[in-house]
C-alpha cells in the first residue's frame, strides 16, 4: 500500500525523534530499509510511485497511473528514510533516500501540478516523465 507502509516508517521516525527510541529503530531498521527500497523500485518509471492501493481510496487511486496522495507519502517516506538511515550510520542509504526524495518532489510538481486549477490533481493518467499528465481528476 502506498500509505500504510509509509505510515509505519513515519511512526518509527516519530518515536525516534520524540523519545529517542533507538530500540524500536534498531529492531525495525531492516523492515524500514526494505519498505524504502520497495518504494524506490515502485517509483522507477516516474520518480513517484505508480498505481498503488491506499487506505484512503475515495477516488480509486489504483485506476490512475499516479496519485498525489501516494506521491506526498512517498516524499515524506524518503525524508524519513534518510533521517533514520543517518541515525543507523548508513550514510550511503541516507544519500540514496535524499536523491529519491528530491527526484520525487520535482516529478510531483511536473506531473501533477495543474496550472488551470492552481492545485495538484488527485489522480493522473497519460503521464510522461518530465512532461506531465494529460488527464487529472480531483484536487489535492
Amino acid at each position: 500500500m502506498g500509505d500504510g507502509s509509509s505510515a509505519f516508517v513515519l511512526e518509527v521516525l516519530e518515536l525516534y525523534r520524540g523519545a529517542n527510541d533507538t530500540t524500536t529503530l534498531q529492531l525495525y531498521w531492516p523492515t524500514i530499509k526494505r519498505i524504502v527500497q520497495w518504494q524506490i523500485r515502485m517509483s522507477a518509471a516516474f520518480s513517484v510511485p505508480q498505481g498503488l492501493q491506499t487506505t484512503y481510496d475515495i477516488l480509486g487511486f489504483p485506476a490512475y497511473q499516479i496519485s498525489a496522495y501516494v506521491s506526498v507519502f512517498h516524499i515524506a517516506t524518503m525524508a524519513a528514510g534518510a533521517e533514520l538511515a543517518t541515525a543507523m550510520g548508513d550514510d550511503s542509504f541516507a544519500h540514496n533516500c535524499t536523491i529519491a526524495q528530491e527526484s520525487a518532489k520535482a516529478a510531483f510538481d511536473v506531473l501533477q501540478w495543474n496550472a488551470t486549477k492552481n492545485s495538484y490533481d488527485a489522480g493522473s493518467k497519460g503521464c510522461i516523465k518530465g512532461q506531465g499528465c494529460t488527464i487529472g481528476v480531483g484536487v489535492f
Side-chain angles (χ1 to χ4, degrees):
M1 294 191 111
D3 54 353
S5 57
S6 294
F8 178 78
V9 174
L10 295 169
E11 292 288 335
V12 174
L13 177 62
E14 182 179 6
L15 291 170
Y16 174 70
R17 280 184 178 174
N20 195 32
D21 185 351
T22 56
T23 302
T24 299
L25 174 55
Q26 290 171 357
L27 175 66
Y28 289 113
W29 175 243
T31 301
I32 291 165
K33 193 169 181 177
R34 284 192 303 272
I35 288 169
V36 172
Q37 290 168 330
W38 172 77
Q39 282 203 8
I40 290 170
R41 283 192 309 275
M42 295 304 294
S43 302
F46 297 107
S47 297
V48 292
Q50 180 178 204
L52 295 184
Q53 183 63 266
T54 66
T55 55
Y56 178 77
D57 199 18
I58 292 171
L59 294 175
F61 292 133
Y64 297 90
Q65 280 179 294
I66 55 177
S67 74
Y69 181 73
V70 172
S71 294
V72 169
F73 260 109
H74 175 69
I75 292 165
T77 302
M78 294 304 105
E83 186 172 337
L84 295 172
T86 298
M88 291 298 295
D90 193 340
D91 295 335
S92 175
F93 191 67
H95 179 71
N96 292 343
C97 292
T98 300
I99 290 170
Q101 178 192 8
E102 293 303 317
S103 295
K105 288 185 336 188
F108 180 55
D109 286 339
V110 169
L111 293 168
Q112 294 200 266
W113 178 252
N114 186 319
T116 303
K117 292 191 276 185
N118 202 32
S119 63
Y120 290 93
D121 290 323
S124 301
K125 292 181 180 180
C127 303
I128 299 172
K129 187 173 185 171
Q131 294 183 24
C133 302
T134 58
I135 298 170
V137 301
V139 173
F140 189 81

